[in-house]
Amino acid sequence: MAPFSDPYLEHAIGGTPIVQLKNLAPSSGQVWVKIESGNPTGSYKDRMAYGVVKNAFARGDLKTGDRMVEYTGGSTGTALAHVAARCGIKFIAVSSDAFAQSKLDAMRAYGAEVIVVPSEERKITPELIAAMKQQAYEIADEPNTFYVDQFGSPDVIEGYVPVGQEIVEQIGADIDVFCAAVGTGGAFMGTTKGLNQAGQTPDLVALEPLQSPFLTTGQGGAHRIEGIGLGFTPPFLNLDRCDEIRAIDENEAFKMCKKLAVEEGIFCGPSTGLNVTAALEIAAERGPDSVTVTLGCDHGSKYGQTLP
Ligand SMILES: Cc1ncc(COP(=O)(O)O)c(C=O)c1O
């Protein structure tokens, strides 16, 4: 079976810049943010989408003309729709009106079929995620339909390994803490694997929204940070490897988006705001000699008026 390789995608995905915060972290330790919005659909999900599709083609699980399905808040869906368009497969996204309209539009722009599961007052709740998952499973049972399995496929983790490797090369110093918000946990664990492979073993701090503190309290809830805080422990997340799990107030995360744009020139979405809020807290606690790294998950332009 010939592996699928697309020279454009190989070149366009990854190799993103990293920024050290100057104005928001003047006297604390160093805070570095890996800016993933430069990937083709504006988020780090491009890395996992290409990783999953490439390896599925190589194994013969996917071939041109097949269908592929996943339930997604939109960033993963947009990334999958983009890769699907490149390699001639149809993508079906099970999503919801709880997520940014621009993401649903982007999936459709790449030719995806988008099934919208209605939410209550546009809130992301554990019940909504369960309803989306159920619908995706039913479609995945149909013939010639590949289930991406963003919560379980090892190809997801592998897709993010280069993030960690790039970070080590870019910073060129020992990293004390790596913190990142967790949805599937793929970016957090895959980046960690890359950091470890490149010789770095920072303390690991997994993050979640205070309004849906399942990992810290066992109780999920309604919140507004797209892509994370899903109300269950994602299978990728190895809690034994985490030094800490920290819940961050979503209101602080949204305020941080504004501050990052105005004071650092980084226009990002709310999960990045949450990551940076936590990274700054940690850097202040660890002191001036510390190095803390986090991820800039996606670009703020996806969120329209939901950002302050
Ligand atoms: C905008 C955004 N941030 C963060 C995440 C969390 O990433 P992961 O699923 O790799 O944990 C997601 C996942 O969908 C996302 O869409």
Side-chain angles (χ1 to χ4, degrees), residues 85-197:
R86 290 285 313 165
C87 58
I89 53 180
K90 177 178 163 62
F91 175 55
I92 305 168
V94 181
S95 194
S96 170
D97 57 6
F99 304 104
Q101 182 63 39
S102 73
K103 295 184 187 176
L104 307 187
D105 292 344
M107 288 190 272
R108 291 193 179 105
Y110 286 115
E113 178 183 338
V114 182
I115 297 169
V116 178
V117 179
S119 64
E120 285 200 22
E121 296 174 356
R122 311 212 151 194
K123 295 262 188 176
I124 304 158
T125 60
E127 295 74 26
L128 174 68
I129 301 295
M132 288 164 57
K133 180 175 175 177
Q134 177 60 29
Q135 200 148 343
Y137 277 13
E138 284 168 18
I139 295 167
D141 276 344
E142 293 169 17
N144 298 328
T145 307
F146 173 75
Y147 179 50
V148 173
D149 194 10
Q150 61 165 322
F151 287 92
S153 166
D155 298 330
V156 170
I157 297 289
E158 292 309 313
Y160 290 115
V161 166
V163 181
Q165 294 167 333
E166 289 169 25
I167 288 170
V168 173
E169 221 169 86
Q170 287 167 316
I171 295 183
D174 282 340
I175 299 165
D176 297 299
V177 182
F178 171 55
C179 67
V182 169
T184 67
F188 183 64
M189 297 306 298
T191 301
T192 296
K193 189 171 175 185
L195 291 171
N196 294 165
Q197 282 181 358

Side-chain angles (χ1 to χ4, degrees), residues 4-15 38-41 45-54 57 78-89 110:
F4 174 81
S5 175
D6 182 312
Y8 159 68
L9 293 177
E10 293 286 337
H11 187 72
I13 295 173
N39 285 301
T41 72
K45 296 289 180 178
D46 286 321
R47 296 187 187 250
M48 63 75 80
Y50 187 44
V52 166
V53 170
K54 188 166 62 170
F57 263 84
T78 308
L80 288 167
H82 170 240
V83 173
R86 290 285 313 165
C87 58
I89 53 180
Y110 286 115

Side-chain angles (χ1 to χ4, degrees), residues 73 98-100 103 120-126 128 208-213 221-230 248-257 269-274 298 303 305-308:
F99 304 104
K103 295 184 187 176
E120 285 200 22
E121 296 174 356
R122 311 212 151 194
K123 295 262 188 176
I124 304 158
T125 60
L128 174 68
E208 66 178 356
L210 187 61
Q211 284 75 7
S212 182
H223 70 97
R224 295 180 297 133
I225 310 276
E226 296 185 25
I228 65 169
L230 303 181
I248 301 288
D249 188 337
E250 66 179 14
N251 298 306
E252 297 305 316
F254 277 95
K255 278 189 223 156
M256 186 56 70
C257 291
S271 58
T272 306
L274 189 138
D298 67 355
Y303 296 90
Q305 295 185 344
T306 58
L307 288 181

